[in-house]
Amino acid sequence: MTAWPNHADAWRQWRDALSGERMHHGWLLAGKAGLGKRDFAMAAARELVAEPGVPQPEGDHPDIITLTYGPKDDKGEKAQADGKPFERARSIRVKQIRTMQKRLVTRPTLGSRRAIIIDPADDMEKSAANALLKSLEEPPVGTFFLLVTHRPARLLPTIRSRCRSLRFPALRDDELAALLNDAGLAPDPQAIAAAEGSLGVAMRFAAQDLAPIARVIDGLIKGGDTGLTGRGELVRLIGPRADRERIQAVLELAQSLVSRTARACDDKDQQARLIETYAALVSLAAEVPTANFDPGMLPFEIGTLLVAAAPASNPAHG
C-alpha cells in the first residue's frame, strides 16, 4: 500500500478518537480525488475492527463491508457472481444500501465492531442517500460508517451533519514526484503541475499520455481558436470513441489547467471568464457519467468551453 505523506493529521485524529471513550459512528473522508482516501478507509477500518487476541484475516474481512459501483444490470450481476468481467453502474444504488442494511441486523463476525465503507459516497443515488440516512440516524451498536467523498457538497446536508470530517490535503510537488517514482513512473514536471496535488491525476496523466493534450488545452485557454484548428486537434488527440475513463481524465486535466491559469491571472475580466469556464467544466464532468453525450462531439464541447476563457475569446462556436 502507498505510504501517503498527507495522511498524518487524519491518522492522529482517527487514533485519538479510537482511543477515546466514545467513538463517533460516522466519518467523512473528504478531499479531492487521488489523495489516498480509499487506502486510509481500508486501513482505518482494519484498526477499528481488530481486537486483542482475535486473529484477523489478511485478505477480505467479514466485518468490513465496502460499497462502490456495482453491476449495471441483471446481466452484470450474473457475470459478477460467475467471477467474470462486468459493466459497472455509474452510481451507488439504493439496492446496495438496503442489502448492506440487512446485514446490520446480525452481530459482527469476529469481534464487536463492523465498518461500512462507501466510496465514493457523493455518487449515491438520491434514494440510496436517503436510505443510508436512516442508518446514520440510528446506527446499530458497533457499526461505523466511513464515507469517502471527493465533493462533500453533493452529499445531503443531513448526512454531513451526522458525520465527523477528516480533511485530506493535496500533496506537495516533491511528494508527488517521490510517489510517482515509487510507482515506477517518471516524475514528469508537466504531469505534476497539472495534477495540482493529486497522485491519481498525475498517474492518469502518464497512463493516458496526456502531455500532448495538455499543450493543446493550454493553447486554447491562452490563445483561443479562431479557425477551429485547436479544437480539431483536441478532438483528434482525445479520440472519436474515447471511453469514460479517458474523458474524465481530460476533464480533470482541463479543470486543473484552467484553475492554475486563473490563480496566476492579473486581469479581473479574464479571471472571471476562467472561473466561469472552470464551473462549466465541473458541471460537464458531473453530467458525463449519466448523460448520453455524443462521444464524437464531447471533446469539441470541452474545447469550446476552454476557448471561452481565452483573452478576447471567440464566440462560443468559433
Side-chain angles (χ1 to χ4, degrees):
M1 187 176 288
T2 302
W4 295 93
N6 58 328
H7 288 189
D9 187 58
W11 276 120
R12 178 188 60 76
Q13 294 185 57
W14 174 262
R15 287 169 177 156
D16 283 351
L18 195 57
S19 63
E21 293 184 3
R22 188 174 181 181
M23 178 76 166
H24 199 78
H25 70 276
W27 294 78
L28 288 184
L29 312 186
K32 68 194 300 183
L35 298 180
K37 300 187 297 297
R38 177 195 285 261
D39 282 0
F40 180 94
M42 292 301 301
R46 283 191 169 273
E47 286 196 1
L48 176 76
V49 301
E51 294 186 6
V54 180
Q56 301 294 307
E58 291 292 331
D60 292 343
H61 198 293
D63 294 328
I64 299 175
I65 302 170
T66 301
L67 302 184
T68 187
Y69 305 112
K72 179 181 178 180
D73 48 28
D74 292 344
K75 182 179 177 181
E77 289 182 3
K78 185 178 185 304
Q80 183 186 41
D82 294 340
K84 298 177 181 178
F86 59 91
E87 186 177 354
R88 292 187 178 274
R90 295 173 176 177
S91 61
I92 295 172
R93 297 176 170 175
V94 65
K95 179 180 178 180
Q96 295 172 267
I97 300 296
R98 289 176 177 158
T99 299
M100 173 270 292
Q101 288 171 327
K102 289 178 182 178
R103 294 183 60 179
L104 301 188
V105 301
T106 64
R107 291 180 55 82
T109 302
L110 298 181
S112 60
R113 290 175 168 176
R114 175 188 284 125
I116 312 297
I117 299 170
I118 302 180
D119 175 28
D122 32 61
D123 274 352
M124 284 187 291
E125 294 176 336
K126 185 175 181 180
S127 56
N130 284 324
L132 175 66
L133 182 58
K134 296 178 181 178
S135 294
L136 287 171
E137 289 172 338
E138 299 180 11
V141 174
T143 297
F144 300 84
F145 296 87
L146 292 88
L147 310 185
V148 176
T149 173
H150 313 317
R151 300 173 295 276
R154 292 184 62 184
L155 291 170
L156 293 175
T158 42
I159 286 181
R160 296 199 304 269
S161 69
R162 284 164 174 77
C163 295
R164 177 174 169 179
S165 290
L166 290 179
R167 298 280 176 179
F168 290 76
L171 293 153
R172 300 193 311 266
D173 286 358
D174 62 314
E175 292 171 338
L176 264 179
L179 289 172
L180 285 170
N181 190 63
D182 290 345
L185 298 171
D188 183 339
Q190 193 173 27
I192 291 171
E196 292 201 309
S198 167
L199 178 61
V201 173
M203 293 185 74
R204 282 193 290 278
F205 187 102
Q208 294 278 356
D209 189 24
L210 295 184
I213 293 177
R215 287 191 288 272
V216 173
I217 288 175
D218 197 52
L220 292 173
I221 295 170
K222 295 176 179 176
D225 187 25
T226 54
L228 303 182
T229 304
R231 276 169 279 187
E233 180 65 2
L234 183 66
V235 170
R236 187 187 71 79
L237 289 170
I238 294 174
R241 298 187 180 277
D243 60 20
R244 176 185 173 191
E245 184 177 354
R246 183 164 179 80
I247 290 294
Q248 289 291 355
V250 171
L251 282 164
E252 286 177 355
L253 173 62
Q255 291 170 41
S256 176
L257 292 176
V258 168
S259 174
R260 186 176 64 182
T261 305
R263 289 197 302 271
C265 182
D266 295 327
D267 184 310
K268 290 186 177 180
D269 289 338
Q270 189 192 356
Q271 190 175 61
R273 288 196 297 273
L274 287 161
I275 292 170
E276 289 178 4
T277 293
Y278 180 85
L281 288 166
V282 170
S283 178
L284 182 60
E287 293 174 12
V288 164
T290 55
N292 187 25
F293 286 101
D294 182 330
M297 291 301 297
L298 187 55
F300 191 86
E301 175 65 18
I302 294 170
T304 297
L305 291 176
L306 294 168
V307 168
S313 60
N314 306 299
H317 295 288

